[in-house]
Amino acid sequence: MNLSFHTNHRLLVSLIFGGFGLLSLGIAVLPAYNVQENNRLLPRQSPLTAAEQRGKDVYIAEGCVGCHTQQVRTIAMDKTWGERPGIPADYATNTRPDLWRQTASILGTERTGPDLTNIGQRQPSIDWHLLHLFNPRMVVAESIMPAYPWLFEEKENPGKHDRVVKLPPEQQKHITGQLVTTRKAEDLVAYLRSLKQPDLPVGIKINFIDFPKSKDKGRELQTVEGKVGDSKAAGGDKDFDGAALIAKGEVLFQARCAACHQGNGEGLAGAFPPLKGSEIVNSEDPSKMIDIILNGYDENEAYGAMPGFAGQLSDEEIASIASYERNSWGNSAPVVEPATVKAIREMIKPPL
Amino acid sequence: MKHFKTAMMFFALLAGPSLLALGTSKDAITNESLFSEGGIIGLIILSLVVVLALIIILLSRIGKLTFDLATRETKTRQQEIDEALETLSESQVDRLISRQNYFKFRVTGDELGGTEKPSDDRGLVSKLVKNLGPRITAEKRKNTTQASIEPEHRRLILGFIVTATFWLVFGSAIGEYLGIKFVAPELDKVSWLSFGRLRPVHTNTVFWGWASLGMIGLGYHVVPRTSNTNLFSYKIGWISLISINLAVILGNICLMAGINNGGGEYREYIWPVALLFATGLALTIYNYYQTIAKRKTTEIYVSNWYIMGAGIWTLILVTIAYLPFYQDGLGETIIQGYLMHQAVGMWFMTFTLGLVYYYLPRALNKPIYSYSLGVLAFWTQMLFYTLIGTHHFLFSPVPWWLQTVAIVFSIGMFIPVTAGTANFLLTIKGSWKMISDSYVLPFLFIGVIFYFVGSSQGSLQAFRFTSVIWHFTDFNVAHSHITMYGIISIFLWGFMYYLMPTITGRNPKEVLVGMHFWLAVIGLLLYVFPLMIGGTLKGLSWLNEEPFISSVVLMVPYWIWRAIGGSFMFLSHIVFAYNVYYMMKGPTLKIDNVK
């Protein structure tokens, strides 16, 4: 028996095979199996609907994962993409779709475009998603995302069940008849809108870690923990700083509102109304404006529907946004106090 | 007087700024606003010019002084000799003059060869160079070694190399198109050509088409050669070639039609297509194994360790990556990290290293520096590389211990990388002149350099801090091109330029090989540096919590540079394709007989 792998090719090949096989079992197969088996849906998490699942198939087929991640890492810089760091349970709904294709690699490795973990929460408007898919540069001028015109059809006479996409006039010119969605577009938007970080069970909290250590510890604590405290303080009858409110509102506006209403407040003709010069925005009494921000709006035929933000933004945040909008682009109206928002929220709260 | 003036001015300038600082430090605000004024900044710069000039004058004075001091003794000695010479006797003068003649003697150059004209009766000289002045392109040594090779064997190897070259040109054309799309997203609106669908076409084509076919083809030369025997079966080789090519064709059509396995990098082909590739690979590995089994040498040469390792590991890898039983939820992510890294490390890197252990010593015509270092690098490659896949998912919900293991062993990768690099460089040591004489060795040398740089860069990227800045950015794209292009592709070109003339007897045009080399290397550098700089800025922009879109906007100039570098690279591939054609159909080597 020759026990030298320098001269015995059977022994050499067996060592190569066995060594790598064992290492692979230990580092990949067993941990993967373990993670898969110890993974249940969160209490308030629901599996994908049939339409959402079909939308996910489109997401994979078009290679969206090449540029968009779906993972909120535990580091503080990922706070932009979710309320909390991701946990294994968030991915419990991600399973093998059929015999031919395997479980989707949705976590991704490149962030050429934004992370989509929470896109359904961040951007609930169907109209926005449709316009954005048809041509991303209509809503985000600097975007380099590909356009997906093959998810849409041009129809002379749209039928009853067709959803017509409201295009800005200069885009409408290039279309014969009306632009309607295909089922693929509907499904993809349904999937994107379903992407929301599920709530954790009551009482459980996962914090971001402060890495790399921020130089300004105070700032860090304020942004992670301070939300509740802040709105409490501002909700009282203490004086508040109008300029600070507007400054904060600008940041929030760019993050939450500019996608539709655009950074210059001019909106998109035919799709999203302008805030610049708007009567509602400039009105002395802010209650109508706050009502729209809280509960959404779909009464103007000329534009797409706006989703409500009551569940996502605090009183103080809404007050900041409103104040910023009322004092920008030539608009001029009094600053909105957080207490006013609180009062309107209480008033329109559905009876228990 | 002059010295006094200089000293005074110097003093004043030295003291001046500190006086100014004293005067302004009382009021911090004035101080700050003062130094941000253009006029003040200009003045400071102007004074600095004077200070600089003074420093130069001072240094030259000191230099002069020390020179005078140092040569004072010599001067005295000179004077003594001069005086002594005048008192010499007649005979002493004669002896001095005859000594002077010794130094005037020069050889004429024909003492050994005589004055007859040279001739080369045995055909040892392959080319006569008459131009000995400066040249723009270097004169390279032609490859005159002719391997005794079965025509069937030659056809098989060329079959692999030609198809690989086709996929290189096709795959990099796609890559170039995608690079342009970063700055011109409205280039087309055809679903089959959209970025999301073409991106995996690019990566899979250059992976499974170009690099894999190229490596396997070269393996079909190295394995029988180092086993000192014939290939086990030509037929199996051809089936393997067809099967892998078919996989790449079908896989790419599927991807462009929107049929994608799940979006996981390097396993975008659905399993029936991947099975076709795996079958081709398995057949080749079986073929290699049987060839090694009937070898005529006692020892198994270290190249074959690497080649067998690469083949067997990749088969295990592909099987694990495609089996479904542990891939729901985050299980999929763990397997993805494992596959993504091992596809590069266990397949491309390991196989290519095996080829280096044959072709580098062969091109230098001397044995590898240390066989044992090669063996050490082999086993550490297997141990460390296998465990580091999860470093692609740092800070993700994947178990923390897996992430830590991945980081630790990423650092451990310095061991096989340093062992390999040292081994190759020590093999080249003493033959540096050969690099400029050969059109093969520059590729191999640059490949070794990139092997060290690219692999070490990978280790550094796995640190938690660097991952925060660089992960998800274009930095990764730069890294993957340094490794897959700088290491794998550049090595493969070197091997092919060595092998093809040996088996076809046809040398490529040197100017075109040089053009290929420089376009590829300069193109690569133009490609990776902008992406590394831009990637870092992008990461910092995210860290500073700036709006996401600003990180897109800031990348635009860097993406333009990437497209320019990519064009150079693509152009070099066209030249390479022509060289491959020329090495098969061009004229055979003509010996310039010296008359």
Side-chain angles (χ1 to χ4, degrees), chain B residues 44-59:
Chain B
I44 292 172
I45 292 173
L46 284 177
S47 0
L48 283 178
V49 171
V50 180
V51 173
L52 197 71
L54 277 172
I55 288 174
I56 291 171
I57 292 169
L58 194 72
L59 285 178

Side-chain angles (χ1 to χ4, degrees), chain B residues 516-544:
Chain B
H516 171 200
F517 178 80
W518 288 111
L519 280 176
V521 172
I522 293 172
L524 177 64
L525 295 180
L526 284 181
Y527 184 108
V528 298
F529 276 104
L531 284 191
M532 289 198 287
I533 298 167
T536 308
L537 294 177
K538 196 186 219 184
L540 289 175
S541 153
W542 293 343
L543 205 56
N544 292 333

